[in-house]
Structures are given as C-alpha cells and as structure tokens.
Amino acid sequence: MARAATTSDAFNAIAEPQRRDILALLRAGERPVTDLARELGMSQPGASKHLRVLREVGLVRVREAGKQRLYGLDARGLRPVHEWIGGFEQFWSESFDRLDAYVRDLKEDDR
C-alpha cells in the first residue's frame, strides 16, 4: 500500500509509482486530467487524487483553460529531492571509478 503524502513532503509524494508516472507525462507539457488518466489506465477520480497530492507538495501547477483544468509540471518542487540525491554523486563516481579499474585489471589479466 502506498504511503500517504504529507502536504510538504515531495519524497512521500514521489514514492508512489503512479505519481512518478504522472510527473513523467507532464514533462512533455500541460495535460488535462482526462488525458493523464487515459494514458495511465486509471480512473479520472484516481488521477485527480494523485494530482491533488502533487499539487499540495508543489510538484504540479494547475491553470484554467476554458472548461478544462490543465496540469503542468513544476519541477522546482523537486529541488529537495535533487539536492538529497546530489549528496550521493561522489559515492557513485568513486564506485564507478573502482569498477573501471577492476575491469581494466581483468582485461590485463586475460592478456
């Protein structure tokens, strides 16, 4: 079962795979909820609930366009996630450097 997102926590909001799918779709531009629901194979009320959570944590914005509400990505809300993940950049860089050295050693041993 998915964790409930708090209104100020982008981490909990993106812990739900369907919300990440919605954000991925919104990278291409604004979409109405009906398009998002159809694309993801979910009900319109289900998509609306996910959009509400994403809107509350600042990852999605909404604007009125005639009778439709268009939802768009607001990636500024991902800044805390980006900053947290960035803290692991050195770890991954060092890990890949060690892996490269290991592969080079294996290749030299095969000669």
Side-chain angles (χ1 to χ4, degrees):
M1 177 183 276
R3 298 183 297 171
T6 63
T7 57
S8 63
D9 189 3
F11 290 92
N12 277 338
I14 64 171
E16 166 60 47
Q18 290 179 314
R19 292 188 196 124
R20 291 192 306 268
D21 292 343
I22 289 170
L23 293 175
L25 288 173
L26 292 177
R27 282 187 301 199
E30 294 179 324
R31 310 256 309 253
V33 65
T34 52
D35 285 3
L36 293 168
R38 184 177 58 250
E39 183 84 21
L40 297 171
M42 66 174 64
S43 68
Q44 185 272 327
S48 292
K49 287 180 184 179
H50 287 304
L51 286 165
R52 178 183 45 78
V53 170
L54 293 169
R55 206 172 59 245
E56 287 175 355
V57 299
L59 297 176
V60 168
R61 58 181 162 28
V62 62
R63 74 176 178 89
E64 303 290 329
K67 292 183 180 182
Q68 281 190 323
R69 297 179 76 177
L70 296 177
Y71 293 87
L73 178 64
D74 188 348
R76 293 176 297 179
L78 288 171
R79 181 174 291 287
V81 176
H82 175 73
E83 289 172 352
W84 183 78
I85 289 171
F88 292 93
E89 185 175 353
Q90 181 177 354
F91 167 79
W92 285 111
S93 181
E94 291 171 358
S95 295
F96 287 129
D97 289 346
R98 285 192 305 273
L99 180 60
D100 285 342
Y102 177 73
V103 170
R104 276 194 307 275
D105 289 346
L106 285 177
K107 286 181 181 178
E108 288 177 9
D109 289 346
D110 285 345
R111 292 182 189 168

